Amino acid sequence: MISKIDHLGIAVHSIAEARVFYEQVLGLVCERIEEVPAQKVRTAFFAVGDTHIELLEPTAPDSPVARFLEKRGEGFHHIGYRSDRIDDELARAQSQGCRLINAEPVAGAGGKKIAFLHPGSTFGVLTEICEQEQP
Ligand code: ZN
């Protein structure tokens, strides 16, 4: 079941430059910066109440986020929904004819299992489902 908005993803050229806005203007605290090799991005998470802002900076020219920045520029990139059973969400999406970018969950930041649904099937919003690994 999807229980909350886990985070909102924002594509930036440079976390070092963008974090100044989130820290100095909005007064948010950067909880961690983490590289996610599977997605070829560096991520920075800022807590906002019980959800997060995730800044995404590409670490390679062929990173999906690098291609996004080329086409669309900096800005809103994806919405991340928390689920306790990512496999069920993907199975339901598939059975409803939704196009999946990841048919199987992949490793995301913070030890999460994540998968993306294609914006062509989600009315234009790149949609991530994520499941926190149970300790
Ligand atoms: Zn995300």
Side-chain angles (χ1 to χ4, degrees):
M1 192 184 76
I2 287 176
S3 55
K4 63 177 279 192
I5 292 175
D6 187 84
H7 62 275
L8 300 172
I10 295 170
V12 299
H13 290 294
S14 161
I15 284 174
E17 285 178 23
R19 69 182 293 175
V20 176
F21 168 75
Y22 290 91
E23 291 173 329
Q24 303 303 320
V25 178
L26 297 186
L28 303 179
V29 174
C30 181
E31 287 189 338
R32 63 179 196 280
I33 293 182
E34 181 184 346
E35 204 161 317
V36 185
Q39 306 289 325
K40 297 183 180 172
V41 290
R42 185 173 298 114
T43 64
F45 282 86
F46 297 82
V48 188
D50 68 347
T51 190
H52 290 83
I53 295 292
E54 174 187 31
L55 300 184
L56 303 134
E57 171 192 308
T59 55
D62 62 340
S63 159
V65 172
R67 291 198 296 268
F68 177 92
L69 287 167
E70 250 169 55
K71 267 197 271 181
R72 313 264 292 266
E74 292 181 305
F76 180 72
H77 181 260
H78 69 271
I79 185 164
Y81 293 98
R82 170 90 59 92
S83 170
D84 53 354
R85 285 170 168 263
I86 190 171
D87 294 328
D88 290 356
E89 312 302 342
L90 294 181
R92 192 171 64 241
Q94 201 152 31
S95 75
Q96 293 294 317
C98 182
R99 192 170 151 202
L100 308 182
I101 293 175
N102 307 107
E104 299 288 333
V106 297
K112 282 181 280 199
K113 291 200 278 185
I114 68 167
F116 285 98
L117 310 181
H118 196 280
S121 291
T122 62
F123 299 87
V125 178
L126 178 60
T127 299
E128 174 188 337
I129 310 291
C130 63
E131 179 187 320
Q132 194 73 54
E133 286 286 341
Q134 299 307 320

